[in-house]
Amino acid sequence: MNGRADFREPNAEVPRPIPHIGADYIPTEEERRVFAECNDESFWFRSVPLAATSMLITQGLISKGILSSHPKYGSIPKLIFACIMGYFAGKLSYVKTCQEKFKNLENSPLGEALRSGQARRTSPPGHYSQKSRYDSTVSGQSSFGTSPAADSMERELLPHYEPIPFSASVNESAPTGISDHVAQGRNFS
């Protein structure tokens, strides 16, 4: 015994550290394969159908007169916009499916990070979870400040805004707490 009391339960699991996945992370060969698969599937099964559908709907709305066409370029700008929005909506709609594919990888640091991130969000209160280094503290101080001097400098440099009081009274055209000093001093009769 080294003089320290051990308060851990004998059968308690020690959580593994979450692997750091940053900009310098190099994916494994299996992760690269899943990235390519996700990119290909999200394009063909989500982006292309949503882009085509949004373009057809937009053209239909223009044909019925609900949307107006451009005098010089016709329906092309609106169709291009609908295509781009459909493309990105398709890519975004595939994110959860792709995350599940990474979570199912056995020896993947990226999959491990996604699994532990999900476990951290769904853990019951009081359960051990590793706090992110980007989380801000409860006291309102910035997590980027490294010293009390940096925190005080931040408070001095950033302006402090006072909220304007709001009233839902009968006269909603003039908010309360703001007065027009010029109009009060003049008599226009």
Side-chain angles (χ1 to χ4, degrees), residues 51-94:
T53 303
S54 64
M55 288 175 66
L56 285 172
I57 290 171
T58 303
Q59 185 60 44
L61 293 173
I62 290 172
S63 296
K64 287 185 177 184
I66 296 172
L67 289 177
S68 63
S69 61
H70 191 273
K72 184 177 179 181
Y73 301 111
S75 63
I76 299 296
K78 287 186 172 77
L79 291 176
I80 290 172
F81 181 75
C83 180
I84 292 170
M85 290 297 111
Y87 172 81
F88 285 116
K91 287 288 187 179
L92 286 174
S93 70
Y94 205 73

Side-chain angles (χ1 to χ4, degrees), residues 129-172:
S129 66
Q130 184 175 353
K131 185 176 173 114
S132 170
R133 66 180 178 167
Y134 299 112
D135 288 346
S136 60
T137 58
V138 178
S139 65
Q141 297 175 349
S142 170
S143 63
F144 298 108
T146 56
S147 68
D151 289 337
S152 66
M153 187 184 332
E154 179 182 345
R155 275 188 238 110
E156 290 173 11
L157 293 176
L158 295 176
H160 179 69
Y161 294 103
E162 291 293 327
I164 297 172
F166 177 77
S167 172
S169 64
V170 176
N171 183 8
E172 292 185 359

